[in-house]
Amino acid sequence: LRDNDPDITYISIQDEREDDYYDFVVREGDNLGWLCYFVGRSKQLRGLSIDNFPDNLNIAAFLRGLRHNQSIESLCISTDIGEDFKSLRPFLRNNNSLGDLTFSHFDIGLQCARNIALLLGQQSSLKCLCFQETNLGDEMFVEIASVLRKQPQIEELNFYANNIGRNGCVALGNALEGTGNPNLATLYFGYNDIDDEGIHALVAGLINCDKLTSLNLNGNALITGAGLRSLSTLFQSEHCRLEQLNLDQTSIDNDGAAVLTAGLARLPSLKKLHLSDSSIGDQSLQALVGGLGSCNLLEDLYLSSNNMLTQSVVGMRSLGTLVQRTNIHSLFLCDDTVNDEGLQYLVDGMANCCRLKKLVLSYNNSITAVGLSFLSSLFRSERCSLCTLLLNGVNLDDDGAMALANGLIGNMSLKTLEFSRSGITERGWTAFFKLLCDTSSVNNTYFSNHTIEKIGGSPTTRLKGLADIV
């Protein structure tokens, strides 16, 4: 720091060394005067993380010493420094480089929230504001939200896991609604206590955010069909440009899927949609597929942990057809979402698919060699572009390995076939070996699969399989 070493661009401060991650460990009796002085005058330092300070240290003096720094772009505080937050005012007022301010993993009380709100009033360069697992609750969050209408330059807000409920949503909705020309592009509001009325209040503000491209409401299990109806209104608004929507672990039943579909059908900008663990069944899936047909830019679709889809037949076939007809590149169907019959109907629908690059079927314990054999029609299609197939956690045995190996004969696209917890013996590994190098004739050797780069999971699994063959 003293020499303005160009390699010193980030410092993490902690009061005990648990590993080599922390750059500066504060011990009892340490005088941080010199550290504070050189941080203040540094022109190379871009990031500062304060993870903990000993209780008997004069934190205020250290924070006041930051006031001279003009280079720090990212500040993360992961410890409660109480009234000493006030000592940050000169730094926030003078530093026009600060773009990222994060508070994480400590409980913010009411007075602390008020002090932080006062600090935010001193800052005009922030692009990203994050409160992660700080137990804000509605009362404290209202204090923070009240100053956000004066921060139109902020592009990302992250309030992950803070016990924020209906009143907090009202406060944030009012702040966004009252902000002139907000630049907000990303909102993380996952794992809070947001219900349908909270969503309704929040949408009133989000409609004013015509630059919003990413909305994350995952883990709010109180959101049901009524809340999704409000979201649908947002999607249908004239200026909505949303590209990513995360509704994992919400309560999307048949009614919710119907109203959500109406909104998604009017959202052609959507590129990534998360609907995992959201109580989606066959009827819900059919409705969603109908709405997503007009989302021509959709690339990634997450539908994992929807256990009711194991009974879905028509829905799986329609999903396959959707994948074939749209621009979907990645499809995630993990965690007991698909069985053999479902996989058959899925592949039937997308047999001639030419855009799907990644298919994730991990941890579907009901998939057997019978289901895996249905993939051969996808592998052998001249239009197949699948590069990655993930089967981690699937109970793969020799019959399953042979079904995959036989299906991949002649395939020119797949590069990664990943699986773990396999029961494959020498017989199954021999099938893979033959796929890669069939020595039965010169022609067969020449036409062996020379595209695939990885088969198996961990290096140990792969090496054991090869050792068995050798």
Side-chain angles (χ1 to χ4, degrees), residues 165-209:
R166 186 180 304 171
N167 291 338
C169 288
V170 171
L172 181 57
N174 289 339
L176 295 175
E177 191 174 10
T179 303
N181 193 29
N183 285 316
L184 184 66
T186 301
L187 175 61
Y188 292 98
F189 227 14
Y191 293 96
N192 284 292
D193 297 321
I194 302 171
D195 61 8
D196 292 336
E197 291 189 31
I199 285 293
H200 182 75
L202 183 61
V203 165
L206 292 178
I207 287 179
N208 188 40
C209 301

Side-chain angles (χ1 to χ4, degrees), residues 172-460:
L172 181 57
N174 289 339
L176 295 175
E177 191 174 10
T179 303
N181 193 29
N183 285 316
L184 184 66
T186 301
L187 175 61
Y188 292 98
F189 227 14
Y191 293 96
N192 284 292
D193 297 321
I194 302 171
D195 61 8
D196 292 336
E197 291 189 31
I199 285 293
H200 182 75
L202 183 61
V203 165
L206 292 178
I207 287 179
N208 188 40
C209 301
D210 56 11
K211 296 181 178 66
L212 187 70
T213 57
S214 180
L215 178 59
N216 302 273
L217 297 168
N218 51 306
N220 287 291
L222 298 177
I223 298 176
T224 67
L228 296 174
R229 184 172 288 106
S230 298
L231 278 178
S232 185
T233 303
L234 169 66
F235 304 153
Q236 297 178 65
S237 63
E238 181 181 1
H239 301 294
C240 185
R241 300 291 182 269
L242 203 65
E243 297 179 2
Q244 175 176 311
L245 175 64
N246 191 336
L247 293 174
D248 286 349
Q249 296 179 288
T250 54
S251 301
I252 302 176
D253 53 15
N254 291 336
D255 292 338
V259 297
L260 182 61
T261 296
L264 293 176
R266 299 281 299 276
L267 193 60
S269 58
L270 190 65
K271 294 182 179 180
K272 184 177 292 188
L273 178 61
H274 295 255
L275 296 173
S276 296
D277 196 11
S278 295
S279 306
I280 295 174
D282 189 63
Q283 185 177 339
S284 304
L285 181 58
Q286 292 179 61
L288 288 166
V289 165
L292 292 173
S294 59
C295 297
N296 296 322
L297 298 180
L298 186 64
E299 297 179 351
D300 301 326
L301 180 58
Y302 297 76
L303 290 168
S304 300
S305 301
N306 286 297
N307 299 343
M308 289 186 289
L309 289 182
T310 55
Q311 308 301 318
S312 175
V313 174
V314 179
M316 279 296 171
R317 188 192 294 274
S318 62
L319 176 60
T321 303
L322 174 72
V323 173
Q324 178 174 290
R325 293 178 177 176
T326 59
N327 199 44
I328 293 176
H329 292 171
S330 301
L331 178 61
F332 294 77
L333 294 166
C334 309
D335 301 313
D336 297 321
T337 300
V338 185
N339 57 17
D340 287 342
E341 185 179 26
L343 189 53
Q344 177 185 8
Y345 284 99
L346 176 69
V347 173
D348 283 349
M350 64 179 186
N352 294 314
C353 178
C354 63
R355 298 180 183 87
L356 186 67
K357 305 293 184 184
K358 183 175 184 178
L359 178 60
V360 184
L361 299 171
S362 298
Y363 300 100
N364 284 294
N365 293 316
S366 298
I367 292 180
T368 68
V370 174
L372 295 174
S373 67
F374 296 129
L375 290 170
S376 61
S377 60
L378 174 63
F379 294 148
R380 292 175 180 174
S381 169
E382 293 182 358
R383 306 181 69 191
C384 181
S385 60
L386 192 68
C387 298
T388 302
L389 175 62
L390 302 186
L391 297 167
N392 294 305
V394 174
N395 295 317
L396 199 61
D397 57 12
D398 286 337
D399 291 337
M402 294 177 71
L404 289 169
N406 291 335
L408 285 167
I409 294 174
N411 178 272
M412 302 292 288
S413 65
L414 196 73
K415 294 184 177 182
T416 298
L417 172 60
E418 188 171 300
F419 51 81
S420 61
R421 290 171 48 192
S422 69
I424 302 175
T425 67
E426 181 180 348
R427 185 165 68 97
W429 284 109
T430 300
F432 283 131
F433 189 83
K434 186 177 180 181
L435 168 70
L436 300 175
C437 185
D438 185 352
T439 59
S440 60
S441 71
V442 174
N443 255 1
N444 287 345
T445 302
Y446 180 79
F447 288 109
S448 295
N449 189 309
H450 303 305
T451 304
I452 198 162
E453 299 173 357
K454 175 183 177 182
I455 295 178
S458 66
T460 302

